């Protein structure tokens, strides 16, 4: 199919067969899985995935690509035209065929919307088994960074509170056409089974983490001044910076603040 890559949809199409093979092996598709691919583009991942699955759902925003996939009318393929940022992944996950296997969301994501999309997906984490995504390498490094590391940020805390995450593959720009200006990486995200925050506690986590990281160089004595008393912060915590506090400690704080 002739298609000119559209920048506004973050279109960089995977070309490298070795990288494609590695990503498919990481997704490990088996016949009865319930899988949705975000942004199939020209199908670098789609066709090899479909070769191993009974059913595959595609979610694509670009009308020309939607028309292409509809006209291909491949067996087992369902094409959904839509914006992943507005898509109801919770309803999709629950709509799987009876006795379907693991539920997975996969894709080589448009990098311009990656953070909002990751946060949007959190609402469906309770019913998803695994997410495998290609993203900008810098974003993946922040996602998996541990407390104390220079990349540890709001994104790290919020996503690590909900998922186990691992950088599983590094991918250079030459693997794509057109080549992006940045390095890429594949991340595996598995929702935590021990996640115990209700909605109110999750909002408290969002608030306290945003406040803690509001000025990275300032001590928590300043950034968390509004909460310090209720949290009974210790002296070492008052003089620490947001990036020195563990995810589990942020979770404890969220529980205290929403009690
Ligand atoms: N999967 C293909 C590949 O690996 O070659 C294409 C990946 S390309 C980086 C991103 C894809 O996501 C494109 O097909 C693009 O049209 C689609 N896309 C961009 N924004 C989207 C959105 N908000 N919702 C759904 N799909 C989107």
């Amino acid at each position: 199919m002739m298609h000119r890559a559209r920048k506004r949809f973050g279109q960089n199409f995977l070309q490298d067969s070795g990288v494609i093979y590695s990503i498919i092996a990481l997704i490990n598709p088996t016949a009865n899985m319930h899988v949705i691919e975000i942004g199939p583009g020209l199908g670098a991942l789609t066709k090899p995935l479909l070769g191993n699955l009974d059913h595959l759902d595609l979610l694509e925003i670009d009308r020309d690509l939607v028309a292409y996939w509809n006209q291909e009318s491949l067996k087992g393929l369902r094409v959904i035209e839509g914006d992943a940022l507005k898509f109801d992944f919770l309803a999709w996950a629950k709509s799987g065929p009876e006795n379907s296997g693991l539920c997975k969301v996969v894709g080589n994501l448009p990098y311009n919307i990656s953070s909002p999309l990751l946060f949007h997906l959190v609402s469906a984490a309770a019913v998803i088994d695994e997410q495998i995504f290609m993203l900008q390498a810098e974003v993946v490094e922040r996602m998996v960074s541990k407390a104390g590391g220079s990349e540890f940020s709001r994104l790290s805390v919020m996503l690590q509170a909900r998922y186990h995450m691992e950088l599983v593959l590094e991918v250079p720009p030459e693997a794509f056409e057109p080549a992006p200006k940045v390095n890429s990486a594949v991340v595996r995200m598995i929702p935590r089974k021990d996640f115990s925050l209700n909605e109110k506690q999750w909002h408290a986590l969002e608030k306290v983490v945003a406040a803690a990281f509001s000025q990275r160089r300032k001590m928590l004595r300043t950034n968390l001044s509004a909460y310090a008393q209720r949290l009974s912060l210790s002296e070492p915590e008052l003089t620490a910076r947001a990036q020195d506090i563990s995810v589990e400690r942020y979770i404890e704080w969220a529980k205290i603040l929403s009690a």
Side-chain angles (χ1 to χ4, degrees):
M1 181 213 180
M2 280 298 291
H3 178 83
R4 187 187 283 213
R6 295 192 165 114
K7 231 180 169 175
R8 72 175 185 283
F9 292 146
Q11 292 179 350
N12 299 93
F13 300 114
L14 255 178
Q15 302 283 311
D16 185 309
S17 51
V19 171
I20 294 170
Y21 179 85
S22 302
I23 297 174
I24 300 298
L26 287 164
I27 296 170
N28 192 18
T30 55
N32 69 341
M33 270 181 192
H34 184 41
V35 182
I36 189 163
E37 184 191 359
I38 300 174
L42 296 169
L45 301 174
T46 315
K47 289 188 175 164
L49 276 176
L50 199 55
N52 293 281
L53 294 166
D54 292 341
H55 302 278
L56 174 62
D57 292 336
L58 302 182
L59 176 58
E60 176 57 67
I61 199 168
D62 184 326
R63 276 190 197 167
D64 292 346
L65 294 173
V66 170
Y68 163 72
W69 286 110
N70 277 329
Q71 156 256 301
E72 284 280 280
S73 73
L74 300 173
K75 189 169 175 283
L77 198 66
R78 183 165 61 136
V79 188
I80 304 164
E81 179 177 346
D83 181 348
L85 288 174
K86 298 189 182 136
F87 186 70
D88 187 343
F89 287 96
L90 187 65
W92 168 81
K94 290 180 176 169
S95 73
E98 218 161 278
N99 300 326
S100 55
L102 293 179
C103 176
K104 300 197 183 192
V105 183
V106 305
N108 169 14
L109 298 186
Y111 297 171
N112 49 349
I113 58 162
S114 53
S115 290
L117 183 52
L118 292 168
F119 280 109
H120 177 59
L121 278 156
V122 167
S123 56
V127 286
I128 285 170
D129 293 298
E130 190 177 60
Q131 298 177 170
I132 303 268
F133 294 140
M134 172 104 74
L135 293 162
Q136 191 174 333
E138 197 189 288
V139 174
V140 176
E141 278 153 21
R142 275 198 285 132
M143 289 164 73
V144 303
S145 174
K146 296 289 173 214
S150 60
E151 303 299 315
F152 193 66
S153 60
R154 184 179 153 252
L155 187 73
S156 330
V157 181
M158 296 308 298
L159 293 180
Q160 287 173 33
R162 192 64 192 90
Y163 302 92
H164 295 292
M165 293 183 294
E166 194 188 350
L167 188 163
V168 281
L169 185 70
E170 292 182 3
V171 182
E174 311 82 75
F176 303 84
E177 177 57 42
K181 292 201 177 74
V182 294
N183 287 323
S184 302
V186 178
V187 63
R188 183 201 300 282
M189 306 174 72
I190 299 182
R192 287 175 56 164
K193 294 270 179 287
D194 63 347
F195 178 75
S196 62
L197 299 185
N198 60 31
E199 215 169 303
K200 198 171 157 209
Q201 291 167 329
W202 178 259
H203 287 309
L205 183 67
E206 286 178 322
K207 274 186 149 176
V208 72
V209 172
F213 282 95
S214 58
Q215 305 177 84
R216 276 185 82 86
R217 289 173 186 199
K218 294 257 161 87
M219 292 180 191
L220 293 181
R221 186 196 299 286
T222 305
N223 289 354
L224 292 185
S225 57
Y227 304 101
Q229 219 173 6
R230 280 167 72 199
L231 294 176
S232 346
L233 296 183
S234 66
E235 194 50 36
E237 285 173 339
L238 286 167
T239 55
R241 291 181 172 75
Q243 54 270 36
D244 301 318
I245 303 296
S246 72
V247 173
E248 302 317 305
R249 188 70 178 132
Y250 279 112
I251 291 174
E252 282 171 19
W253 287 347
K255 288 182 176 168
I256 296 169
L257 290 174
S258 63

